Amino acid sequence: MACFLVPTGEAIVTTILTKAIKSKEKADITPSKEEVHEAVSAKIPFSKKLSWLNNMLWGGSALLAFEHIWHGEVVAWFPFLTAMENPDEAMAMLHEMSTVGVSMAVLVTAVWGIMVMASDIIMKKQELDETAKLQPIAIDNDTEKE
Amino acid sequence: MTLLITVLAACITTVLWYKNAPDDTMKLGFLALMYWGASLMWMCDAIFEYKELGAEFFSPAAADMINDGFLGLSVVALGMVIWIVQLIVKDPKGIVKKAISKN
């Protein structure tokens, strides 16, 4: 009926958050170009990770909104949702939003959380591999000096 | 049917994104995430429908399947239209800018 409105609401919040975090990250990273490059390559910025969630929420909501238009549940005239014309249907719509809609938002956010965790693990592993590769070279240099 | 078609579109787009990674000039990652988001939402919808209908959920009427199939294909097409619009607006290769400045 209107379950897609819950993820849409979450998408609005996360988009505002992304913009705020992005501007904060830009303000934090003002030193030299090399330092910026190092910081970006060493760690994925949180705003980038949030943009993955934004894409999933906005994209999913847009395609689901299309499905609702297809089924005649969303119309171009006021009140835009056909369920709003009847109090009984409006109650059913609110119930659907609080069950299916909330579950959709929670599931997408949970999958995004797993994606973020996986990317953090991959980045950490990569960092460890790089330091392990550099260590023998440092030892060799020390022995050469001796 | 809609869920199935969207999941297939998401898988194909993800494979294409992976094939070209780390180069994402074509913004395939955006398209893949959009399809995955929709797939997850429809999966949730399907779980609730299954809870309501039970085994009947897996044996839909032929007319419903055709309608859902058309809807699924339309959804995939709409996703691609959104992706193309985003690609042209962001213009990562600068092709649109060059074409406009030529005229």
Side-chain angles (χ1 to χ4, degrees):
Chain A
M1 281 178 178
C3 47
F4 70 97
L5 289 178
V6 180
T8 308
E10 191 191 343
I12 293 167
V13 174
T14 54
T15 306
I16 295 166
L17 258 175
T18 310
K19 299 253 179 216
I21 291 169
K22 215 175 198 177
S23 60
K24 203 184 162 232
E25 280 170 354
K26 265 187 188 170
D28 287 346
I29 309 170
T30 27
S32 70
K33 273 187 180 175
E34 289 99 42
E35 276 176 327
V36 173
H37 179 73
E38 269 173 34
V40 170
S41 61
K43 207 178 156 198
I44 302 168
F46 190 64
S47 60
K48 172 97 182 159
K49 289 174 187 168
L50 259 179
S51 75
W52 303 339
L53 180 62
N54 286 339
N55 287 342
M56 283 204 287
L57 287 170
W58 278 119
S61 301
L63 299 182
L64 253 80
F66 176 74
E67 187 226 323
H68 286 73
I69 294 168
W70 181 283
H71 288 135
E73 290 165 350
V74 175
V75 285
W77 52 89
F78 191 78
F80 307 109
L81 301 163
T82 46
M84 290 292 279
E85 287 163 4
N86 181 332
D88 286 340
E89 276 188 43
M91 281 307 290
M93 182 193 80
L94 288 174
H95 180 257
E96 200 197 72
M97 279 171 75
S98 62
T99 51
V100 185
V102 170
S103 307
M104 282 174 177
V106 169
L107 181 66
V108 172
T109 313
V111 169
W112 170 74
I114 294 166
M115 278 166 65
V116 169
M117 264 169 51
S119 73
D120 282 348
I121 291 167
I122 291 166
M123 292 304 283
K124 251 186 200 168
K125 214 177 159 193
Q126 202 177 324
E127 223 171 275
L128 281 172
D129 285 349
E130 273 170 24
T131 45
K133 271 181 196 171
L134 287 172
Q135 263 173 350
I137 298 165
I139 292 164
D140 285 347
N141 286 343
D142 289 343
T143 47
E144 271 174 30
K145 275 177 193 172
E146 280 167 14
Chain B
M1 201 69 171
T2 314
L3 169 65
L4 201 66
I5 292 171
T6 318
V7 169
L8 280 173
C11 289
I12 292 167
T13 321
T14 308
V15 168
L16 287 173
W17 165 79
Y18 188 84
K19 213 178 149 192
N20 294 311
D23 174 36
D24 195 30
T25 27
M26 290 304 286
K27 305 271 172 205
L28 280 168
F30 164 75
L31 185 63
L33 285 173
M34 188 162 61
Y35 284 146
W36 280 121
S39 301
L40 288 170
M41 289 181 194
W42 268 311
M43 198 180 82
C44 220
D45 207 27
I47 291 167
F48 275 89
E49 214 175 313
Y50 174 73
K51 246 176 84 180
E52 210 179 284
L53 299 173
E56 206 184 308
F57 173 77
F58 295 106
S59 47
D64 288 343
M65 264 179 77
I66 292 169
N67 185 37
D68 275 358
F70 272 128
L71 174 62
L73 290 173
S74 308
V75 159
V76 172
L78 178 69
M80 288 178 109
V81 168
I82 295 170
W83 168 63
I84 286 172
V85 169
Q86 199 242 18
L87 196 67
I88 288 172
V89 169
K90 293 212 168 166
D91 193 19
K93 286 189 172 180
I95 289 167
V96 179
K97 228 184 241 176
K98 265 185 209 167
I100 291 168
S101 60
K102 243 187 184 180
N103 295 326

